[in-house]
C-alpha cells in the first residue's frame, strides 16, 4: 500500500532525473524505476523512490532533503538523527521494546556516510520506506488515538537514556512559548506582508492568554518538570499506522529530537489527535476538541510512559494541549504576517486558517480542561 493518493504525486521527467541522481549516490541495490513526491509534511522535501532488483523484486525507499531555511545546521540534524536511530535500533534488537518492532533506519551512501549533497548543496538522506503503512492528518477512530499515544509514550521511554550531550539543540528554544510570543510581536511590528489589519481578533485572543504562556517554563525552572530528550514534533502524521489494522508501527520525523519537556510532546498529540477537523480549516466553527479521542490518547500514552512521568507532568497533561495549540496558533500567525516563508503553503491564507484553527482549539480545550484533568487523574490513579 502507498500513502493516501492525495499525498503522493507523480513527478515531471526532469525532476525524476534529478531524484534518480540523488538516489544513485546511496548504496541502494537495483535500478531506479520511479520517483514520486510525498506532500504531507510542512518542512522537508520528501520523495518515494522505487528500485527494481535482478529478478524483478521491487523495493521502495524515502529520499528526503532537509529544509535548510528551517534547519540552519543540517549536518547537526543528521548527527542527531543518526544517534537516535542507532540508539533505538540497538535497543530494539537487544531489549525488543519497540511499540511493534519496526524502526526507522538510515541507508549509507557509497562511501559509508548517511547523507549526500545535492547539486545545490542541500543535504539529503535515505530511509527505509514502510510498506503497508499510512499516515493520517485527522484521526478517524479511537484505536488510532490510543495507538498514537502509545507509540509516542514508547518513544519517550526508548530515548530516555540517550546521553543528552550527544544531542545538539538544532533549533534553540523550539518550544519556548514566551519567545514564540516575542517573535510574533516582531512580525506584527514589521508587518512585512501588510496583513496586520486583518488579524486584530487573533492578536487580541493571544494577548488575553499571555498569562498562561510561561506556566510550564516556570515549572521547569523550579525543578518540578524534568528536561528530557523528547521528539518535539509529535503531530499525528509523524506516526505510521498499519494500513489494515491501524496499529502504530513507527514514529518518524526525528529532526527535532532535542532536550525538551514531555508535555510539549503530549500537548502536540492533543492538538493533532483531538481536533475534529484538519489543521487549516477555513470555517473555525467546525473545530472541536473531541473528548472521546482525548481519553484513549491518555490511556495509550500512560500505558507506555506512565512509569517514566512524575506527578507534576501528569497534572499538566490536559493543559499541555491548550498551551501547544496556542503556541502553534502564534507560529502560524507569525508566518502569515511574514508572508508565508516557513511552513509550506498551497494556497493564500492557509497559514491564517491554520492559526485560527489552533486558537479555536485552544479555547475549546480551555473550556473542557476540568473534565480532561479529571480523566487524566482517574487513569493516573491506576498507574
Ligand atoms: P516533514 O518534516 O516535512 O514533516 P516527514 O519526515 O514527516 O517530513 O515526512 C513527510 C511524510 O512522508 C510523512 O508524513 C509520511 O507520510 C511520509 N514518510 C516519511 N518517512 C517515511 C517512511 N520512512 N516510510 C513511510 N512514509 C514516510
Ligand atoms: C512542522 O515537519 P512537520 O510538518 O511534521 C513543524 C512543527 C509544527 C508542525 C505544524 C521543524 O512539522 O513544529 O508543529 O509543522 N516542524 C518544524 O503542523 O518546525
Ligand atoms: Mg512530519
Amino acid at each position: 500500500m502507498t500513502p493516501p493518493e492525495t499525498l503522493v504525486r507523480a513527478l515531471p521527467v526532469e525532476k525524476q532525473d534529478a531524484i534518480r541522481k540523488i538516489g544513485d549516490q546511496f548504496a541502494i541495490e537495483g535500478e531506479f524505476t520511479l520517483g514520486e513526491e510525498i506532500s504531507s509534511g510542512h518542512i522537508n522535501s520528501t520523495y518515494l523512490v522505487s528500485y527494481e532488483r535482478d529478478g524483478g523484486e521491487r523495493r521502495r525507499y524515502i529520499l528526503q532533503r532537509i529544509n535548510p531555511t528551517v534547519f540552519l545546521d543540517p549536518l547537526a540534524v543528521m548527527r542527531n538523527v543518526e544517534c537516535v536511530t542507532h540508539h533505538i535500533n540497538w535497543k530494539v534488537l537487544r531489549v525488543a521494546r519497540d511499540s511493534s518492532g519496526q524502526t526507522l533506519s538510515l541507508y549509507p551512501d557509497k562511501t559509508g556516510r548517511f547523507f549526500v549533497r545535492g547539486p545545490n548543496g542541500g543535504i539529503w538522506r535515505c530511509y527505509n520506506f514502510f510498506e503497508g503503512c499510512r499516515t493520517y492528518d485527522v484521526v478517524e477512530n479511537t484505536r488510532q488515538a490510543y495507538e498514537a499515544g502509545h507509540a509516542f509514550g514508547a518513544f519517550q521511554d526508548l530515548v530516555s537514556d540517550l546521553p543528552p550531550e550527544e544531542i545538539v539543540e538544532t533549533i534553540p528554544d523550539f518550544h519556548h512559548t514566551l519567545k514564540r510570543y516575542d517573535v510574533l510581536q516582531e512580525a506584527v511590528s514589521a508587518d512585512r506582508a501588510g496583513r496586520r489589519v486583518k488579524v486584530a481578533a487573533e492578536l487580541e485572543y493571544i494577548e488575553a492568554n499571555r498569562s498562561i504562556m510561561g506556566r510550564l517554563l516556570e515549572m521547569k525552572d523550579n525543578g518540578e518538570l524534568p528536561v528530557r530528550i523528547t521528539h518535539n514534533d509529535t503531530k499525528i502524521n509523524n506516526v505510521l499506522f498499519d494500513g489494515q489494522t491501524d496499529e502504530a508501527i513507527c514514529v518518524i520525523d526525528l529532526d527535532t529530537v532535542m532536550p525538551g519537556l514531555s508535555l510539549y510532546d503530549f500537548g502536540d498529540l492533543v492538538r493533532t489527535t483531538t481536533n475534529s477537523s484538519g489543521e487549516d480549516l477555513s470555517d473555525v466553527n467546525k473545530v472541536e476538541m473531541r473528548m472521546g479521542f482525548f481519553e484513549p490518547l491518555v490511556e495509550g500514552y500512560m500505558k507506555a510512559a506512565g512509569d517514566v512521568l512524575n506527578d507534576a507532568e501528569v497534572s499538566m497533561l490536559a493543559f499541555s494541549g491548550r498551551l501547544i495549540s496556542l503556541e502553534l496558533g502564534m507560529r502560524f500567525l507569525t508566518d502569515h504576517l511574514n508572508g508565508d516563508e516557513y511552513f509550506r503553503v498551497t494556497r493564500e491564507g492557509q497559514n491564517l486558517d491554520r492559526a485560527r484553527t489552533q486558537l479555536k482549539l485552544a479555547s475549546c480545550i480551555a473550556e473542557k480542561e476540568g473534565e480532561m484533568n479529571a480523566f487524566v487523574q482517574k487513569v493516573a490513579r491506576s498507574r
Side-chain angles (χ1 to χ4, degrees):
M1 183 191 291
T2 21
E5 267 148 42
T6 46
L7 303 177
V8 180
R9 271 200 310 261
L11 288 172
V13 179
E14 329 77 71
K15 199 77 203 248
Q16 294 262 358
D17 233 41
I19 294 298
R20 176 205 306 266
K21 285 188 184 133
I22 300 290
D24 278 351
Q25 298 184 61
F26 285 100
I28 299 176
E29 207 186 313
E31 282 297 311
F32 177 96
T33 55
L34 184 66
E36 295 161 291
E37 185 171 16
I38 300 185
S39 59
S40 62
H42 292 338
I43 302 294
N44 293 315
S45 306
T46 305
Y47 302 91
L48 174 59
V49 290
S50 306
Y51 284 74
E52 199 172 301
R53 297 181 169 195
D54 288 348
E57 189 198 348
R58 190 181 71 149
R59 286 276 176 99
R60 297 197 285 183
Y61 304 85
I62 291 284
L63 289 183
Q64 204 170 43
R65 177 176 180 264
I66 301 179
N67 182 324
T69 315
V70 168
F71 296 104
L72 300 179
D73 186 352
L75 293 184
V77 172
M78 283 313 296
R79 285 194 294 278
N80 281 358
V81 172
E82 276 183 53
C83 180
V84 175
T85 51
H86 287 166
H87 182 78
I88 293 182
N89 279 308
W90 175 82
K91 256 180 129 172
V92 168
L93 276 176
R94 302 229 162 179
V95 201
R97 268 207 303 176
D98 193 16
S99 51
S100 71
Q102 293 207 50
T103 58
L104 204 55
S105 298
L106 287 164
Y107 277 76
D109 77 344
K110 288 176 177 158
T111 69
R113 278 187 324 197
F114 287 106
F115 65 88
V116 304
R117 276 180 207 280
N120 305 319
I123 300 294
W124 291 76
R125 63 192 164 204
C126 177
Y127 283 124
N128 51 326
F129 173 71
F130 286 85
E131 294 289 348
C133 287
R134 60 163 298 181
T135 51
Y136 296 95
D137 288 334
V138 180
V139 170
E140 293 168 357
N141 60 52
T142 53
R143 172 155 166 84
Q144 290 162 6
Y146 179 91
E147 285 288 316
H150 193 271
F152 279 111
F155 183 88
Q156 175 69 87
D157 191 28
L158 276 169
V159 295
S160 59
D161 56 348
L162 258 176
E165 66 280 4
E166 302 266 325
I167 299 292
V168 177
E169 201 179 357
T170 47
I171 306 184
D173 298 316
F174 191 60
H175 278 296
H176 196 299
T177 317
L178 286 170
K179 290 196 180 167
R180 294 288 187 186
Y181 171 85
D182 292 342
V183 173
L184 169 63
Q185 298 314 314
E186 283 161 25
V188 172
S189 306
D191 194 19
R192 295 206 323 254
R195 294 170 167 175
R196 181 176 54 191
V197 282
K198 297 226 173 106
V199 301
E202 288 71 25
L203 291 172
E204 196 181 316
Y205 179 83
I206 289 165
E207 212 46 54
N209 280 276
R210 177 98 170 76
S211 65
I212 70 162
M213 291 177 198
R215 212 176 270 175
L216 297 187
L217 292 164
E218 276 159 33
M219 291 175 76
K220 172 176 77 90
D221 291 344
N222 68 25
E224 284 175 86
L225 299 177
V227 174
R228 304 180 183 278
I229 300 291
T230 46
H231 186 281
N232 292 303
D233 189 2
T234 58
K235 73 195 257 195
I236 196 66
N237 70 20
N238 286 331
V239 57
L240 299 175
F241 291 90
D242 183 296
Q244 306 290 327
T245 66
D246 271 342
E247 182 190 353
I249 299 298
C250 185
V251 163
I252 60 167
D253 205 344
L254 307 176
D255 295 334
T256 49
V257 171
M258 291 183 287
L261 301 182
S262 61
L263 289 162
Y264 297 147
D265 279 3
F266 189 76
D268 209 26
L269 271 171
V270 176
R271 176 180 77 84
T272 55
T273 303
T274 67
N275 184 3
S276 54
S277 57
E279 195 176 49
D280 57 0
L281 212 67
S282 308
D283 179 3
V284 292
N285 292 321
K286 296 202 178 116
V287 175
E288 245 183 80
M289 195 295 291
R290 297 174 296 180
M291 192 64 195
F293 285 60
F294 177 73
E295 291 175 357
L297 178 69
V298 171
E299 284 170 331
Y301 187 74
M302 290 291 279
K303 171 93 178 151
D307 293 342
V308 177
L309 304 177
N310 72 21
D311 290 346
E313 287 171 300
V314 172
S315 74
M316 302 307 275
L317 287 176
F319 171 79
S320 71
R322 179 179 170 200
L323 182 77
I324 295 297
S325 301
L326 178 65
E327 182 181 293
L328 263 297
M330 292 197 290
R331 288 180 62 194
F332 286 134
L333 192 59
T334 303
D335 204 28
H336 174 70
L337 290 170
N338 287 343
D340 307 312
E341 55 190 21
Y342 186 97
F343 296 104
R344 190 181 359 260
V345 288
T346 52
R347 61 179 168 83
E348 174 136 3
Q350 195 170 14
N351 273 320
L352 179 57
D353 286 342
R354 287 172 179 155
R356 287 181 171 150
T357 301
Q358 307 318 303
L359 298 178
K360 176 69 194 298
L361 190 63
S363 86
C364 295
I365 297 176
E367 265 171 38
K368 295 203 179 149
E369 212 175 311
E371 198 186 328
M372 291 163 81
N373 252 326
F375 183 80
V376 169
Q377 291 309 326
K378 196 173 94 193
V379 175
R381 277 195 293 277
S382 57
R383 269 202 287 182

